[in-house]
Amino acid sequence: MRVKIVDVAREANVSVATVSRVVNNIPLVNEETKERVLEAIKKTGYKPNAIARSLKIQKTNTMGIMIPDITNPYYTEIVRGAEDVCGIYHYNIILSNTDFDPEKEKKSLNVLVEKQCDGIIYVGKDLSAEMQAELIDAPSEVVLGCIPDDSGFLSGVLINNETAAYELAMELIKMGHKKFMLFFDELEEGYIYQERKKGFIKAFEENNIEFDDSRILREKLSLSGGYTMMQEAINTGVDFTCVFCFNDQTALGAIRCAEEMGKKIPEDISICGFNNFWIAEWTRPQITTVAQPMYDIGAIAMRMLIKLCEKDGDRTVKNVYVPHEVHIRGSVTEIKK
Amino acid sequence: MRVKIVDVAREANVSVATVSRVVNNIPLVNEETKERVLEAIKKTGYKPNAIARSLKIQKTNTMGIMIPDITNPYYTEIVRGAEDVCGIYHYNIILSNTDFDPEKEKKSLNVLVEKQCDGIIYVGKDLSAEMQAELIDAPSEVVLGCIPDDSGFLSGVLINNETAAYELAMELIKMGHKKFMLFFDELEEGYIYQERKKGFIKAFEENNIEFDDSRILREKLSLSGGYTMMQEAINTGVDFTCVFCFNDQTALGAIRCAEEMGKKIPEDISICGFNNFWIAEWTRPQITTVAQPMYDIGAIAMRMLIKLCEKDGDRTVKNVYVPHEVHIRGSVTEIKK
DNA sequence: CTGAAAGCGCTTACAG
DNA sequence: CTGAAAGCGCTTACAG
C-alpha cells in the first residue's frame, strides 16, 4: 500500500494540514514540528499523490503534445525541445502520435482534455477549421507548432514557409536552373503545402520560369516515396534539372533512385530537401535544404504554453516566426550552359 | 468553467450516480433514462474528469516511459512501439528523457510515481544496483527495455547482445578480417557494453585473433564521435582492417572520416554499426549492422506492462529475448590476401 | 503556529 | 432501476 499523508501525520503526531504545509514548503510551520514531519516522511517513505493534489488545486502540471509521428526526425526534435522546457518548470508531457489522422487527433485531444492537461501543443502541417474550433473550445491552453493561428485565439510557433521556399528556389535559379519539379505529399493541400508552393511559384514567376502543376509529383514523404517519385519523373521523360523535395528523407530517397538509374547527383540533377534533419550533412552527397530550428520550435512553444498556464503569466496570443536558414550543399550544383 | 457530472445530473433530472453509470456503460440503467442522460451530456458538452476518476478508482491509465534520449532514433522507435500499444488499450504515456544521468533518472522516476503511473518502462544501457532497487521498490509496475533483470522481480525485453556481437564478428572473420578495432562509448562500462564486448572477444578467441583493450576507442556515440575515433585510429597508426562501432551513427561518422582521410570504404577499411537505424540502407555505403526490432521491444514491453497493470493479467516476470538480425551491407568487404 | 472541516469530481457498495 | 452517501488523498480558508 502506498503511504499517504494521514500516515505521516499519525507518525509525526500532527494533523494532515501540517504535513501538507511542510510538503509544500509553506513557511508558517514551527521549525521543530517541521523537523518531526520531515523525519516521519523519511521514515514512512511518503510520496505525495499528485493526482489527489491535482484534483484539489485544479492543476496537473502535465502538458499534452499532439504530434503526427515521433518517428519522423523533424517532430522528434520538437518533442525534445518541449520536454526539456517542461523539465525546467516541473511539468511533464503526455505524448500522442496522431499520424495526420483527424479521427486520432480528435480522440487524442479528448483524452488530453479529460486528463486535465494544463496545456496542449498541437503540431501538424495544417489546421482544419474543425480542429481549430475544437482547440479554441478546449478548456486546456493551446499553442500550435509549425502552423499559425488565424483566429486570434491561439498562439503558434513556426517558420515562414513561403519565404523559406522562395529563398531556396532563388538560390537554385541563381545557379542557372530553369526546369524544376516538386516532390510533395501524396494528399496534402494544407497550410504548409500552400505556403511552400506559393514561395516556389513566386520565385519562378519573378524569373519567368515556366511551371505548372504537372511538375508536381505526389507520394508519401519518405525515403521510398522519394525513390518512387524520382523513378516516375525520370521514366516519364519530363525535362528537369532540379527537384525540390518536401523534406530531407524524400530528397535522400530521390537521390538514391537517380543514382541507381545512372544519373550523377548533382551534375545531372540537383536535389533539395527541407528541414535539415540531423543527418543531412553526413549523407553523400550532402543534402541542400532549409534548416528549421525544430528544437527551438518545441522549446518556444512550450515556454509560451507554460506562461499561459501560470497564474500571472504572459497571456498575449501571437504567432511567433522563428528564423530558417538555407544550406547549399553537395546535392546541388550550377547548371552548365 | 468545465462542466461536471453534477451539472449533467441536474440537466437530466437524475442523480450523479446514474450519470456515472451511463458514462461508464454500466448496464443496469433504464433505456429511457439513459437516453435522457446522453442527451444532457451532449447538450452540456460534458467530459469526465479523468483525474477525479483516477483518484477514486486508483488507476490512471497512464504509463511512464523513461528513455535516455528520444532524439536517438534507436529510442524513438521504442517509444513509438510503446505508444501504439498504449493507444490500443486506452493508456497514455508520459515521456521522460533521462540522458543517462542518474540524477535525472531518480527525479523522473519520482514524479512518475507521484503522478501515480500505473506502470513504468525503464529503458537504458545498464541498470545500476541503486536504480534496480528503486524500481523494485516503486509502487508502479515496471518493465525494463533493452536490459534484463537479474533480481527475479522485474521483467525485461531485449536482444541477446552477446550473441549478436558474436555473430557479427564471425561474419567479418569469415571474410578474412583479423585486425579489429572497437569504437565504444566514452564512459560506459554497463550491461550492454559488457555483453557486446564478451561477444566480440569470444569470436576473436575462437579464431585465435589477437585483441586487447588498446584496440577499444571511446567517445560519444554520435556522428562526430565516430568521426573523432576514426581520426584517432588512423593517426595513431594502429594496424586494423575492420571496425565495430557501437551504433550506426558512430559508424557513419567513422565512414565519413575515413573517406576524408583518403581511405576507401569498404576496400581499405570495413566498418560495422549496430541497431540498423532507419536510414542504414540509404547511406553510401550502406551500413553493415545488427538489426534490433526496436519498435517491437517497445511494443512488447508495453504489452507486458499493461498485463501487469490489469486485474487478471499475466503476472509472470521474465526476460524476453527478441530476435536480432545481422545485415551485411556495402560498408564491409572480404579482405584481399 | 496548528487543527478540524470542507471540498476538488468522481465511483460504488448499499438500501430501497 | 435509481439515489444518498461515503470516500479516493490531497489543500486551504477559517478559527483558535
Side-chain angles (χ1 to χ4, degrees):
Chain A
M1 215 43 244
R2 304 201 188 214
V3 9
K4 29 198 176 170
I5 199 167
V6 49
D7 303 317
V8 179
R10 197 176 301 125
E11 179 70 29
N13 230 317
V14 294
S15 71
V16 296
T18 301
V19 177
S20 173
R21 285 190 192 103
V22 350
V23 168
N24 292 295
N25 246 312
I26 294 169
L28 30 84
V29 181
N30 179 22
E31 201 48 46
E32 192 204 328
T33 40
K34 186 170 170 180
E35 287 306 320
R36 222 164 61 240
V37 171
L38 256 17
E39 199 122 320
I41 288 175
K42 196 183 291 177
K43 181 169 169 193
T44 56
Y46 171 67
K47 294 200 174 142
N49 181 327
I51 295 292
R53 176 163 210 275
S54 290
L55 177 60
K56 179 62 192 174
I57 69 172
Q58 304 281 69
K59 188 162 187 326
T60 55
N61 275 44
T62 300
M63 301 295 197
I65 180 158
M66 298 170 62
I67 211 150
D69 180 10
I70 185 74
T71 264
N72 182 328
Y74 175 59
Y75 297 119
T76 316
E77 293 267 347
I78 293 177
V79 171
R80 187 49 147 117
E83 214 262 322
D84 281 358
V85 170
C86 272
I88 299 170
Y89 295 99
H90 305 290
Y91 282 79
N92 291 98
I93 61 173
I94 295 183
L95 175 72
S96 189
N97 294 296
T98 54
D99 295 316
F100 300 109
D101 174 348
E103 275 317 303
K104 277 196 192 178
E105 287 187 346
K106 229 185 283 186
K107 275 187 201 160
S108 170
L109 175 60
N110 212 49
V111 321
L112 295 176
V113 165
E114 289 190 355
K115 291 202 171 174
Q116 314 295 110
C117 287
D118 297 335
I120 293 170
I121 291 182
Y122 175 92
V123 179
K125 290 202 261 192
D126 190 33
L127 183 60
S128 69
E130 197 182 343
M131 209 9 127
Q132 185 184 41
E134 296 217 33
L135 290 170
I136 293 174
D137 218 48
S140 307
E141 302 289 346
V142 173
V143 172
L144 306 174
C146 307
I147 38 177
D149 170 67
D150 58 7
S151 73
F153 289 111
L154 304 173
S155 290
V157 182
L158 67 161
I159 64 159
N160 187 319
N161 281 278
E162 182 184 343
T163 311
Y166 173 81
E167 289 172 9
L168 178 60
M170 288 303 275
E171 290 291 336
L172 274 294
I173 291 169
K174 261 192 268 167
M175 292 176 150
H177 290 275
K178 290 187 164 51
K179 292 166 187 165
F180 296 94
M181 296 209 67
L182 305 185
F183 287 2
F184 274 13
D185 191 75
E186 46 186 346
L187 303 169
E188 207 189 344
E189 292 287 353
Y191 170 77
I192 294 187
Y193 171 87
Q194 296 295 350
E195 288 293 302
R196 297 232 188 122
K197 190 173 163 187
K198 259 194 282 180
F200 287 127
I201 292 198
K202 185 173 164 214
F204 298 157
E205 285 181 349
E206 284 183 7
N207 292 276
N208 298 314
I209 289 172
E210 275 180 60
F211 187 85
D212 63 75
D213 281 5
S214 71
R215 290 179 162 275
I216 303 179
L217 259 38
R218 294 164 156 281
E219 257 298 340
K220 268 196 88 197
L221 295 176
S222 60
L223 290 158
S224 57
Y227 190 96
T228 308
M229 285 192 268
M230 182 55 85
Q231 208 165 24
E232 191 185 328
I234 294 177
N235 283 338
T236 53
V238 204
D239 191 18
F240 66 98
T241 63
C242 177
V243 178
F244 294 115
C245 300
F246 207 78
N247 66 22
D248 298 326
Q249 297 96 292
T250 308
L252 184 55
I255 290 171
R256 289 305 173 236
C257 174
E259 287 174 346
E260 285 180 20
M261 293 178 81
K263 305 286 184 188
K264 280 218 179 325
I265 309 299
E267 293 78 2
D268 297 334
I269 309 175
S270 287
I271 300 180
C272 306
F274 214 101
N275 292 347
N276 193 34
F277 72 168
W278 61 287
I279 222 165
E281 37 180 356
W282 295 80
T283 59
R284 286 298 175 272
Q286 297 179 324
I287 300 172
T288 293
T289 192
V290 179
Q292 295 199 43
M294 315 180 243
Y295 181 94
D296 295 343
I297 289 176
I300 294 170
M302 186 53 78
R303 246 176 237 281
M304 290 169 66
L305 189 59
I306 289 173
K307 279 194 182 141
L308 288 171
C309 295
E310 304 271 320
K311 266 282 168 297
D312 29 59
D314 180 4
R315 295 206 48 86
T316 321
V317 164
K318 57 174 178 269
N319 293 313
V320 175
Y321 287 86
V322 292
H324 59 263
E325 252 172 51
V326 175
H327 290 280
I328 302 298
R329 300 199 183 108
S331 66
V332 304
T333 190
E334 306 222 333
I335 205 123
K336 39 192 190 279
K337 278 309 193 86
Chain B
M1 216 42 242
R2 302 200 190 216
V3 8
K4 31 200 171 169
I5 199 168
V6 49
D7 301 317
V8 179
R10 196 176 301 125
E11 179 71 30
N13 230 315
V14 294
S15 73
V16 295
T18 301
V19 177
S20 174
R21 287 192 191 100
V22 349
V23 167
N24 291 296
N25 246 313
I26 294 170
L28 29 84
V29 180
N30 179 22
E31 201 48 47
E32 192 205 329
T33 40
K34 186 170 171 180
E35 287 306 321
R36 219 163 63 239
V37 171
L38 256 17
E39 198 121 320
I41 288 174
K42 196 182 290 177
K43 181 169 170 195
T44 56
Y46 170 67
K47 296 202 172 141
N49 181 327
I51 295 292
R53 176 162 210 274
S54 290
L55 177 59
K56 178 62 192 173
I57 68 173
Q58 303 281 68
K59 189 163 188 323
T60 55
N61 275 43
T62 301
M63 301 295 198
I65 181 158
M66 298 170 61
I67 212 150
D69 179 10
I70 184 73
T71 264
N72 182 327
Y74 176 60
Y75 297 119
T76 316
E77 294 267 347
I78 293 177
V79 171
R80 187 48 147 119
E83 214 262 322
D84 282 358
V85 171
C86 272
I88 298 170
Y89 295 99
H90 305 292
Y91 283 78
N92 291 99
I93 62 173
I94 294 183
L95 175 73
S96 189
N97 294 297
T98 54
D99 295 316
F100 300 108
D101 174 348
E103 275 317 304
K104 277 197 194 179
E105 287 186 347
K106 229 183 285 185
K107 276 188 202 160
S108 169
L109 176 60
N110 212 48
V111 320
L112 295 176
V113 166
E114 290 191 355
K115 291 203 172 175
Q116 312 296 111
C117 287
D118 296 334
I120 293 169
I121 291 182
Y122 175 92
V123 179
K125 291 201 261 192
D126 190 32
L127 183 60
S128 69
E130 197 183 343
M131 208 11 130
Q132 185 184 40
E134 295 217 34
L135 290 171
I136 292 173
D137 218 47
S140 307
E141 303 290 345
V142 173
V143 172
L144 306 174
C146 307
I147 39 176
D149 170 66
D150 58 7
S151 73
F153 290 112
L154 304 174
S155 291
V157 182
L158 67 161
I159 63 159
N160 187 320
N161 281 278
E162 183 185 343
T163 311
Y166 174 80
E167 289 172 8
L168 178 62
M170 288 303 274
E171 291 290 336
L172 274 294
I173 291 170
K174 260 192 272 170
M175 291 175 152
H177 290 275
K178 289 187 164 51
K179 293 167 186 163
F180 295 94
M181 295 209 69
L182 305 184
F183 287 3
F184 274 14
D185 190 75
E186 46 185 347
L187 304 170
E188 208 190 344
E189 292 287 352
Y191 171 77
I192 294 187
Y193 171 87
Q194 295 295 350
E195 289 292 303
R196 298 233 187 120
K197 191 174 163 186
K198 261 195 281 177
F200 287 128
I201 292 200
K202 185 175 166 213
F204 298 157
E205 287 181 348
E206 284 183 7
N207 292 276
N208 298 313
I209 289 171
E210 274 181 61
F211 188 85
D212 63 74
D213 281 5
S214 72
R215 289 180 164 274
I216 303 180
L217 260 37
R218 294 164 155 282
E219 256 298 341
K220 269 197 88 198
L221 296 176
S222 59
L223 290 158
S224 57
Y227 190 96
T228 308
M229 285 192 268
M230 182 55 85
Q231 208 166 24
E232 192 186 327
I234 293 176
N235 283 338
T236 55
V238 204
D239 192 17
F240 66 98
T241 64
C242 176
V243 177
F244 294 115
C245 299
F246 207 78
N247 65 22
D248 298 325
Q249 297 95 292
T250 308
L252 184 55
I255 290 171
R256 290 304 172 237
C257 173
E259 287 173 346
E260 285 181 19
M261 293 178 80
K263 305 286 183 185
K264 279 217 179 330
I265 310 297
E267 293 78 3
D268 297 335
I269 309 173
S270 286
I271 300 179
C272 306
F274 214 101
N275 293 345
N276 190 34
F277 72 167
W278 61 287
I279 223 167
E281 39 181 354
W282 295 81
T283 59
R284 285 300 175 270
Q286 297 179 323
I287 300 172
T288 292
T289 191
V290 178
Q292 295 199 44
M294 315 179 242
Y295 181 93
D296 295 343
I297 289 176
I300 293 170
M302 187 53 79
R303 247 176 236 281
M304 291 170 65
L305 188 59
I306 289 173
K307 279 193 182 143
L308 289 171
C309 296
E310 304 271 320
K311 266 283 169 295
D312 30 58
D314 181 4
R315 294 206 49 85
T316 321
V317 163
K318 58 175 181 267
N319 292 314
V320 174
Y321 286 86
V322 293
H324 59 263
E325 251 172 53
V326 176
H327 291 279
I328 302 298
R329 300 199 182 107
S331 67
V332 305
T333 190
E334 306 220 335
I335 206 125
K336 40 195 189 273
K337 278 308 194 87

